[in-house]
């Protein structure tokens, strides 16, 4: 069974508009962490934002915010005021143990294209 | 911040040869490193967890005799693809865990693109 599901293989957004990238997850572990990474064409993985399962508030990092709905097991990424440089692949990932010993499980990714 | 390097950044080799990829933590010690593989237009898939001073833990379906991992020091893990074949062509990315770094404990290297002819 898929642990991380990203249902949008590709998304288009106009420059300066906001966009939401969907992510749902599946785990029976009460303690887990959710991540979003950006991967430009160069291949590097750029950390964007993190949400812990016990965090009461949605995480925010500059133009990035995470819409965390625990009961629905969703962790959508919201990018506000899109920029041309935001065009890239975006991956949602989960870590199921708080100690970090276990690696990240990634979703299939969403390719975002920002149009001028 | 924590920096992880990989070498080489890209490599082309002939079928049947072996290729070694290095993953280094430049400004911290990493007891745990992870190796991922990413095929074109696909996601990152964990291959193995590399622990300093002990044997690597491989994910199901990953041949440990083909993908040799050595984590001989706290700053270096190596992945050797033995007897490479064209189907091994992929993007290989390592990450290193920084203990007590907070929520984002894993830092990724820039990746190595392997092409086997």
């Amino acid at each position: 069974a898929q642990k991380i599901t990203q249902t949008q293989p590709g998304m288009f957004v106009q420059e300066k508009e906001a966009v939401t990238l969907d992510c749902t997850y599946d785990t029976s572990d009460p303690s887990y962490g959710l991540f979003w990474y950006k991967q430009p064409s160069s291949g590097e993985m750029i950390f964007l934002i993190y949400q812990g399962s016990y965090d009461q508030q949605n995480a925010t990092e500059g133009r990035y915010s995470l819409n965390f709905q625990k009961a629905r097991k969703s962790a959508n990424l919201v990018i506000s005021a899109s920029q041309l440089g935001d065009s890239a692949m975006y991956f949602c990932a989960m870590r199921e143990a708080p100690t970090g010993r276990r690696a990240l499980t990634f979703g299939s990714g969403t390719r975002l294209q920002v149009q001028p | 911040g924590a920096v992880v390097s990989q070498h080489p950044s890209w490599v082309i080799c002939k079928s049947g040869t072996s290729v070694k990829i290095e993953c280094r933590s430049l400004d911290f010690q990493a007891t745990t490193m992870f190796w991922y593989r990413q095929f074109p237009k696909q996601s990152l898939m964990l291959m193995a967890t590399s622990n300093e001073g002990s044997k690597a833990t491989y994910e199901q379906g990953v041949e440990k005799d083909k993908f040799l991992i050595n984590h001989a020091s706290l700053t270096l893990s190596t992945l050797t693809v033995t007897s490479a074949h064209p189907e091994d062509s992929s993007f290989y990315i390592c990450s290193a865990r920084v203990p007590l770094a907070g929520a984002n404990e894993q830092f990724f290297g820039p990746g190595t693109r392997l092409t086997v002819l």
Side-chain angles (χ1 to χ4, degrees):
Chain A
Q2 291 279 353
K3 291 208 168 187
I4 296 286
T5 302
Q6 294 180 253
T7 58
Q8 307 154 313
M11 289 282 287
F12 289 91
V13 65
Q14 289 293 122
E15 195 177 6
K16 299 181 184 178
E17 293 188 350
V19 62
T20 298
L21 306 184
D22 295 342
C23 173
T24 58
Y25 60 92
D26 183 28
T27 181
S28 57
D29 192 333
S31 179
Y32 52 89
L34 298 160
F35 301 76
W36 278 92
Y37 287 88
K38 172 184 178 182
Q39 187 181 42
S41 56
S42 60
E44 61 182 312
M45 296 295 287
I46 301 170
F47 166 74
L48 296 178
I49 196 166
Y50 167 83
Q51 181 84 44
S53 59
Y54 294 121
D55 293 343
Q56 294 295 314
Q57 294 187 328
N58 287 344
T60 59
E61 289 284 351
R63 294 187 299 113
Y64 305 108
S65 61
L66 200 151
N67 184 0
F68 181 46
Q69 298 188 38
K70 195 171 182 176
R72 297 178 60 184
K73 293 189 174 179
S74 74
N76 299 338
L77 176 71
V78 180
I79 305 175
S80 63
S82 297
Q83 302 172 355
L84 295 178
D86 293 335
S87 295
M89 280 293 290
Y90 288 81
F91 291 99
C92 179
M94 178 170 63
R95 182 184 67 209
E96 291 183 87
T99 60
R101 290 197 189 93
R102 294 179 65 175
L104 300 176
T105 302
F106 288 86
S108 56
T110 296
R111 179 167 297 282
L112 176 66
Q113 294 189 53
V114 181
Q115 298 175 320
Chain B
V3 179
V4 177
S5 70
Q6 276 185 246
H7 179 80
S9 54
W10 58 271
V11 57
I12 301 173
C13 68
K14 292 183 178 180
S15 186
T17 60
S18 294
V19 175
K20 180 185 285 187
I21 302 170
E22 294 183 348
C23 177
R24 292 183 185 273
S25 56
L26 297 185
D27 50 1
F28 65 97
Q29 294 182 329
T31 55
T32 303
M33 291 184 174
F34 303 97
W35 286 95
Y36 296 85
R37 178 169 56 184
Q38 184 180 29
F39 291 110
K41 298 185 179 181
Q42 294 189 25
S43 186
L44 281 73
M45 299 298 293
L46 179 67
M47 298 177 66
T49 301
S50 171
N51 297 299
E52 187 268 337
S54 63
K55 291 183 179 180
T57 303
Y58 290 82
E59 294 300 296
Q60 190 173 11
V62 178
E63 301 173 58
K64 61 181 181 181
D65 294 331
K66 181 171 183 60
F67 298 99
L68 301 179
I69 291 173
N70 185 292
H71 195 154
S73 79
L74 287 171
T75 59
L76 174 64
S77 175
T78 60
L79 168 67
T80 301
V81 183
T82 62
S83 187
H85 288 100
E87 57 265 31
D88 298 324
S89 297
S90 187
F91 191 57
Y92 293 85
I93 309 176
C94 72
S95 72
R97 177 177 173 244
V98 182
L100 304 178
N104 182 30
E105 288 189 329
Q106 291 189 30
F107 294 84
F108 285 85
T112 297
R113 198 166 300 280
L114 170 64
T115 302
V116 184
L117 301 176

